[in-house]
Amino acid sequence: MQLRSYETIKNDKDEKVKANFSDPFRLNECHDEAMGMVFNLAVQRLNKGEPPCEFSWFVTGSGGRFEQGPISDQDHGIVYATSNRSNDDYFSELGKEISLGLNIVGYPYCQGNVMSSNPLWCKSLDGWKQQLQAWMKEASWESVRNLQIFYDARTLKGDDFLVRDLKDVFYEYQKQHPSLLKRFMENVKHIKNGVGPLGQLIVEEHGTKEGSINLKYTAFLPYVNAVRLLAIKEGLYETSTIERMNRLARMNGYNPVLRESRKYFMTLLKYRNSLYKAETYDDTHYLSVKELSKEEKKEIKRILKDGKKLHHYVSNLLMR
């Protein structure tokens, strides 16, 4: 199939997002389709033939977790089977072209530079194994952050066994070094309160977001971080928070604590997608409290309290 241009992909993506923003599952399918087309066009534009060896182009962040909102930035990387001069050059150039194409299609460059255009996120399988080992041994704030980002990797194009192989390296290491999970928990220990001591929603008091609550830091991250840490502890391959919850609920007595959390997290996704008319990626994290009904405010409070409760449960489990 000959794809015409990144602009064509953008127009198609924008129309589909507009039509499906209220359905979190279908919305993420639309993003997958658009990003997959960007990859295919990047290969064509490179004009060097098909990838020369087995590879995985993976998305991570909210894309890896199948939790993208209507507007989303880039988070992706490449792992390929064999390193040599030709392969290294091919995937390096491909990674740069993918990042360029995604930006044109409407996925802004990642501010943290988690992109295939960054050599840190574009390596051979052996190169990735060495990098994971270095990150795990160092366990600095940045290394732990990178490890958690990688654990949300989901293959969008290529061979998933390469990513699974790397996650096995991750799992085996943390089993032998339990202090690593504690270091992970320390990295995400502090969460932003969304509910005050008198039961009021805590909103932004100044600036353009005045009167709004930051859903990313008060609601999403407590759920996402807590469930990811349980997934790492148990060696799960699933990447979406809901799929991880479903799998965890069937093992090691997690069901009682996760039963309500699954329902609340799905509701949270729908609230986030209600921000479809947001103009920028940053805007998609802020929910205006004054536009909520009395019942909606109560529901948001329940979600925030449950997320905090789940986060504390995981913290107590891993830090003891």
Side-chain angles (χ1 to χ4, degrees):
M1 176 183 177
Q2 190 68 27
L3 296 166
R4 287 178 290 171
S5 69
Y6 292 128
E7 288 78 12
T8 302
I9 298 173
K10 173 177 171 53
N11 292 337
D12 180 64
K13 184 262 294 184
D14 289 347
E15 288 181 10
K16 289 182 177 178
V17 166
K18 185 176 181 180
N20 295 282
F21 73 91
S22 62
D23 181 343
F25 182 82
R26 179 59 190 139
L27 174 65
N28 276 269
E29 285 188 328
C30 294
H31 284 304
D32 276 8
E33 291 165 8
M35 292 187 294
M37 285 191 286
V38 167
F39 177 90
N40 292 338
L41 182 54
V43 170
Q44 289 180 15
R45 287 172 61 99
L46 207 60
N47 201 27
K48 290 189 174 182
E50 292 298 309
C53 65
E54 293 173 316
F55 73 96
S56 165
W57 179 56
F58 60 83
V59 290
T60 184
S62 60
R65 296 191 305 275
F66 209 66
E67 293 162 6
Q68 287 173 290
I71 302 175
S72 183
D73 67 349
Q74 299 186 36
D75 292 287
H76 51 93
I78 295 174
V79 51
Y80 51 97
T82 307
S83 173
N84 56 46
R85 180 74 174 271
S86 176
N87 289 358
D88 295 347
D89 288 347
Y90 181 97
F91 287 107
S92 176
E93 291 181 39
L94 179 60
K96 292 172 184 175
E97 182 64 31
I98 290 170
S99 296
L100 172 68
L102 287 171
N103 186 59
I104 295 172
V105 170
Y107 300 96
Y109 291 119
C110 173
Q111 292 184 355
N113 208 16
V114 181
M115 297 181 289
S116 305
S117 53
N118 180 358
L120 194 69
W121 292 91
C122 182
K123 295 182 181 295
S124 68
L125 181 61
D126 285 343
W128 264 108
K129 287 181 178 179
Q130 292 172 18
Q131 180 162 277
L132 289 178
Q133 291 283 354
W135 280 345
M136 289 185 290
K137 288 176 182 177
E138 180 183 335
S140 66
W141 186 92
E142 184 175 1
S143 293
V144 167
R145 173 182 172 274
N146 286 335
L147 286 165
Q148 295 192 74
I149 291 171
F150 175 78
Y151 204 75
D152 288 343
R154 175 172 63 92
T155 298
L156 202 57
K157 289 286 183 176
D159 303 283
D160 188 49
F161 80 89
L162 293 166
V163 169
R164 286 186 170 230
D165 192 2
L166 293 174
K167 290 187 178 182
D168 286 342
V169 170
F170 197 170
Y171 176 54
E172 291 303 322
Y173 186 94
Q174 66 87 16
K175 274 203 308 184
Q176 297 170 22
H177 302 83
S179 62
L180 184 62
L181 273 180
K182 292 182 179 180
R183 184 71 187 90
F184 284 178
M185 191 68 237
E186 290 170 358
N187 189 262
V188 298
K189 191 172 184 179
H190 300 290
I191 59 176
K192 185 179 176 70
N193 283 329
V195 181
L198 301 179
Q200 78 279 22
L201 287 170
I202 301 175
V203 299
E204 300 294 316
E205 297 182 355
H206 308 287
T208 58
K209 307 298 188 297
E210 183 179 349
S212 297
I213 189 166
N214 188 322
L215 287 182
K216 178 177 181 178
Y217 290 104
T218 60
F220 270 97
L221 289 185
Y223 282 105
V224 168
N225 288 337
V227 174
R228 182 195 295 114
L229 288 174
L230 291 180
I232 292 172
K233 178 178 183 293
E234 302 299 341
L236 306 188
Y237 294 122
E238 288 83 357
T239 59
S240 92
T241 303
I242 290 296
E243 287 179 352
R244 286 169 171 171
M245 286 180 174
N246 289 339
R247 179 77 185 281
L248 287 163
R250 299 193 294 269
M251 61 197 304
N252 293 355
Y254 292 124
N255 187 54
V257 73
L258 292 174
R259 187 184 299 115
E260 290 297 302
S261 295
R262 284 180 287 178
K263 177 186 71 175
Y264 284 133
F265 190 75
M266 281 300 299
T267 304
L268 180 60
L269 287 173
K270 292 178 180 177
Y271 271 107
R272 195 270 308 279
N273 288 358
S274 72
L275 302 172
Y276 168 66
K277 293 183 180 179
E279 295 182 1
T280 69
Y281 173 62
D282 190 51
D283 290 339
T284 63
H285 302 314
Y286 289 90
L287 184 67
S288 176
V289 170
K290 65 182 179 182
E291 295 179 12
L292 300 177
S293 68
K294 187 175 181 180
E295 277 307 308
E296 287 172 333
K297 289 177 183 177
K298 288 182 180 179
E299 189 169 48
I300 288 292
K301 288 178 186 179
R302 287 194 291 267
I303 290 170
L304 295 173
K305 289 178 179 178
D306 182 74
K308 190 172 183 178
K309 177 182 174 183
L310 177 62
H311 193 272
H312 284 165
Y313 165 81
V314 174
S315 178
N316 291 336
L317 178 69
L318 299 183
M319 299 300 286
R320 66 189 180 194

